[in-house]
């Protein structure tokens, strides 16, 4: 496994190496270009000055004259020897060619360079300047410029001026050595600096890792405190603490759930065990055994009634709730449920009605919404005395559908309202057990509502009843509102 600290250092060094290489290449290329341009400009300036001088003052040189014998100069009284010596002293690298390319005069310091190609010669005769670099054996190359010399509007000579590239090559070598030395020093500093950078970046991560190693299910109250000035790490610590808080709530709810479930299961199991032990202590009649079995059967049914909601809650414990959302008309579903529960309500002397001012379509799973609504209606009927009413109202606010279940029951005390949707929570434990409640119905309602991206809310007042309001997203594009 690769260390992230090492990866940071390696990445930083690779980045610096790439930047140094790019900078050095750019600087080396730019310096080389500038030096060559400067040399070409100097050669052109010298060549143009000598071309003007030769064109105005030098006599016509015969092509048959030996290369180093013709005099060039404006003073006709001087001897050819004096004129040739003066020219060699002033411009030792000059070469004068005839329009045909034959050497008419060559300075003492001029190299024995190859003649101009025919194409280049034609370009010079047409008035162009020709630049070329000539390699020299065991010596630096030579830069040569060929330009025309005009007299009376015609090209009478071709002037070539040369310069060695020795100085440029020496300068570039020195620059390359200096760049290499500077790069090595920068890389050495970068290696040390990358260690500091990695330590600075990963110290908060090490702190988080150490604290995470010490955290367990029994120490979730621990919170991370990072003494850093970086926004990203402060946000990381805040997110980590928020995660610990969520885990703490989940673990505490899980502990309470397990404890409550164990308590609920313990009672019927203890009753069954006690009945069996008492029955087996002596021989009894068939009728006695039958009575014991009937009593135990009631306890088994209670266990089954408790196990079903526990299995339902277990289905919603995962990350993917078992719901299939689809557009659903809520009013027909409620009418069907009210018709099914109407006989039960009538038997208890309770009036059960439906009021639908607007009946939107919702995004929901029909099976699970049926389960949710049955739980709400059953809860309202069980806590409403004879002569009371239970009213179901349907409405819409913007993109939210609202289903409210109102009853005229005994109501819920304010102290119980924050816990009413918790598992196994009963506002009146004795009464809930007598009515067959398990304390899981409203917890299941909350789980199903949240799985539908909705909410469930309760308002209640002692002696006046309760209102449970279910809010679900409207199915956009379905229309709508059923008539």
């Amino acid at each position: 496994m690769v260390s992230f600290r090492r990866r940071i250092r390696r990445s930083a060094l690779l980045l610096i190496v790439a930047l140094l290489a790019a900078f050095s290449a750019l600087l080396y290329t730019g310096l080389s270009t500038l030096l060559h341009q400067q040399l070409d400009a100097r050669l052109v300036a010298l060549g143009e000055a000598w071309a003007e001088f030769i064109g105005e003052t030098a006599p016509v040189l015969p092509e048959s004259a030996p290369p180093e014998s013709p005099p060039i100069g404006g003073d006709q009284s001087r001897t050819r020897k004096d004129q040739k010596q003066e020219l060699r002293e002033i411009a030792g690298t000059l070469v004068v060619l005839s329009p045909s390319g034959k050497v008419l005069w060559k300075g003492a310091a001029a190299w024995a360079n190859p003649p101009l190609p025919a194409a280049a010669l034609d370009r010079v005769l047409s008035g162009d300047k020709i630049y070329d670099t000539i390699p020299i054996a065991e010596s630096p190359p030579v830069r040569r410029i060929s330009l025309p010399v005009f007299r009376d509007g015609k090209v009478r000579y071709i002037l070539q001026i040369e310069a060695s590239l020795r100085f440029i090559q020496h300068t570039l070598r020195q620059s390359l050595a200096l760049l290499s030395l500077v790069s090595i020093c920068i890389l050495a500093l970068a290696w040390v600096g990358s260690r500091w950078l990695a330590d600075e970046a990963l110290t908060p991560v090490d702190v988080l890792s150490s604290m995470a190693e010490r955290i367990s299910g029994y120490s979730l109250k621990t919170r991370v405190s990072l003494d850093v000035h970086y926004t990203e790490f402060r946000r990381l610590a805040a997110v980590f603490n928020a995660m610990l808080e969520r885990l703490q709530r989940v673990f505490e709810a899980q502990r309470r759930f397990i404890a409550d479930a164990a308590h609920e299961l313990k009672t019927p199991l203890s009753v069954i065990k006690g009945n069996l032990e008492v029955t087996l202590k002596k021989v009894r009649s068939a009728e006695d055994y039958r009575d014991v079995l009937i009593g135990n059967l009631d306890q088994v049914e209670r266990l089954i009634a408790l196990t079903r909601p526990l299995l339902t809650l277990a289905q919603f414990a995962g990350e993917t709730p078992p719901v299939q959302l689809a557009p659903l008309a809520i009013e027909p579903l409620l009418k069907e449920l009210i018709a099914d529960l109407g006989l039960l309500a009538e038997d208890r002397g309770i009036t059960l009605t439906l009021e639908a001012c607007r009946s939107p379509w919702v995004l929901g799973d029909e099976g699970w919404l049926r389960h949710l609504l049955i739980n709400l209606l059953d809860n309202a009927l069980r806590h409403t005395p004879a002569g009371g009413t239970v009213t179901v109202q349907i409405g819409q606010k913007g993109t939210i559908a609202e289903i409210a279940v109102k009853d005229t029951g005994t109501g819920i005390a304010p102290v119980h309202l924050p816990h009413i949707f918790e598992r196994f929570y009963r506002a009146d434990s004795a009464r809930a057990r007598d009515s067959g409640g398990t304390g899981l119905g409203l917890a299941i309602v909350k789980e199903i509502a949240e799985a539908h991206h909705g909410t469930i809310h309760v308002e209640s007042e002692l002696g006046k009843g309760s209102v449970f309001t279910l809010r679900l997203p409207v199915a956009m594009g379905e229309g709508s509102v059923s008539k």
Side-chain angles (χ1 to χ4, degrees):
M1 185 178 296
V2 180
S3 169
F4 187 56
R5 187 183 304 273
R6 185 177 300 174
R7 182 67 177 271
I8 290 178
R9 301 186 67 183
R10 186 184 303 169
S11 299
L13 286 177
L14 288 177
L15 178 61
I16 293 175
V17 167
L19 292 176
L20 282 175
F23 172 76
S24 300
L26 183 63
L27 183 62
Y28 184 86
T29 303
L31 180 61
S32 176
T33 302
L34 289 175
L35 290 175
H36 282 86
Q37 288 178 349
Q38 183 181 16
L39 178 62
D40 288 347
R42 185 168 63 85
L43 291 178
V44 168
L46 288 174
E48 288 178 347
W50 275 104
E52 182 180 0
F53 173 75
I54 293 174
E56 291 178 357
T57 62
V60 177
L61 299 177
E63 293 192 16
S64 58
E68 297 185 0
S69 61
I72 299 179
D75 189 356
Q76 299 294 330
S77 63
R78 296 182 180 180
T79 64
R80 293 183 178 181
K81 182 177 181 181
D82 293 337
Q83 292 175 349
K84 182 173 68 174
Q85 182 64 30
E86 181 182 357
L87 185 59
R88 287 185 174 181
E89 290 177 357
I90 296 175
T93 60
L94 291 178
V95 178
V96 181
L97 306 177
S98 67
S100 62
K102 185 178 180 180
V103 178
L104 300 180
W105 186 88
K106 181 173 69 173
W111 286 268
N113 294 325
L116 283 173
L121 186 62
D122 293 339
R123 289 181 58 189
V124 175
L125 294 177
S126 64
D128 294 340
K129 298 182 183 68
I130 300 299
Y131 300 82
D132 57 345
T133 301
I134 304 166
I136 304 297
E138 299 181 358
S139 295
V142 172
R143 186 65 168 171
R144 181 175 67 179
I145 297 180
S146 304
L147 65 162
V149 178
F150 292 93
R151 176 177 287 181
D152 299 331
K154 296 181 180 181
V155 178
R156 292 300 177 90
Y157 305 109
I158 296 175
L159 180 64
Q160 291 181 332
I161 186 167
E162 304 166 348
S164 174
L165 297 178
R166 182 188 302 275
F167 172 75
I168 293 179
Q169 289 185 341
H170 177 73
T171 302
L172 291 178
R173 282 195 298 268
Q174 294 295 323
S175 301
L176 186 60
L178 180 61
L179 286 173
S180 300
L181 180 61
V182 172
S183 298
I184 292 173
C185 294
I186 291 177
L187 287 177
L189 292 175
W191 176 252
V192 177
S194 65
R195 183 185 183 88
W196 172 85
L197 178 64
D199 292 341
E200 184 76 7
L202 296 179
T203 296
V205 178
D206 293 337
V207 174
L208 283 176
S209 300
S210 299
M211 297 197 69
E213 290 174 352
R214 296 195 299 268
I215 291 174
S216 66
Y218 299 96
S219 61
L220 288 175
K221 293 183 179 179
T222 305
R223 295 295 180 265
V224 175
S225 178
L226 289 180
D227 187 17
V228 292
H229 304 288
Y230 305 113
T231 304
E232 292 81 4
F233 286 117
R234 288 184 178 273
R235 180 172 177 270
L236 178 61
V239 171
F240 191 78
N241 288 334
M243 180 193 68
L244 289 177
E245 187 173 349
R246 291 194 300 271
L247 288 175
Q248 181 183 353
R249 290 198 300 267
V250 170
F251 271 88
E252 289 177 353
Q254 195 83 357
R255 289 195 193 103
R256 288 197 303 269
F257 176 73
I258 293 173
D260 293 339
H263 177 73
E264 294 291 334
L265 292 172
K266 180 181 179 181
T267 301
L269 290 174
S270 298
V271 171
I272 293 173
K273 180 183 178 183
N275 289 337
L276 293 175
E277 288 176 347
V278 171
T279 303
L280 293 174
K281 283 184 178 179
K282 64 179 181 179
V283 178
R284 298 178 183 273
S285 65
E287 188 66 24
D288 292 337
Y289 285 122
R290 183 175 181 277
D291 293 339
V292 171
L293 291 176
I294 292 174
N296 287 344
L297 181 60
D298 293 337
Q299 298 300 323
V300 171
E301 289 178 352
R302 183 179 175 184
L303 286 174
I304 293 174
L306 180 61
T307 303
R308 286 172 181 169
L310 287 176
L311 292 175
T312 300
L313 289 172
Q315 288 182 276
F316 287 87
E319 295 183 359
T320 306
V323 296
Q324 300 293 330
L325 301 181
L328 175 68
I330 198 68
E331 184 177 358
L333 177 60
L334 279 169
K335 286 181 177 179
E336 180 183 345
L337 293 177
I338 288 175
D340 293 339
L341 296 174
L343 294 177
L344 177 61
E346 185 178 350
D347 184 61
R348 295 181 179 180
I350 301 171
T351 303
L352 180 59
T353 60
L354 172 64
E355 297 177 1
C357 56
R358 299 187 68 189
S359 180
W361 288 59
V362 298
L363 281 175
D365 185 306
E366 182 177 358
W368 286 112
L369 283 182
R370 181 186 297 273
H371 194 163
L372 180 153
L373 294 170
I374 289 176
N375 280 5
L376 285 180
L377 291 172
D378 178 67
N379 181 74
L381 291 173
R382 281 191 292 107
H383 293 88
T384 301
T389 61
V390 174
T391 305
V392 181
Q393 295 178 340
I394 307 175
Q396 179 177 349
K397 291 183 179 180
T399 60
I400 301 298
E402 291 188 348
I403 300 97
V405 179
K406 299 182 178 181
D407 65 64
T408 58
T410 56
I412 306 170
V415 67
H416 298 304
L417 287 177
H419 310 286
I420 200 68
F421 294 105
E422 293 180 3
R423 300 170 181 181
F424 295 110
Y425 187 84
R426 298 183 180 91
D428 187 345
S429 301
R431 181 181 175 187
R433 284 194 175 91
D434 292 340
S435 62
T438 61
L440 295 174
L442 293 179
I444 292 175
V445 166
K446 181 175 181 292
E447 294 290 345
I448 296 176
E450 292 180 349
H452 283 77
H453 309 292
T455 59
I456 183 70
H457 177 69
V458 61
E459 295 179 357
S460 186
E461 187 175 350
L462 283 176
K464 294 185 178 181
S466 305
V467 181
F468 286 83
T469 304
L470 172 66
R471 295 182 175 89
L472 297 173
V474 171
M476 306 303 293
E478 282 301 327
S480 55
V481 178
S482 57
K483 302 294 183 183

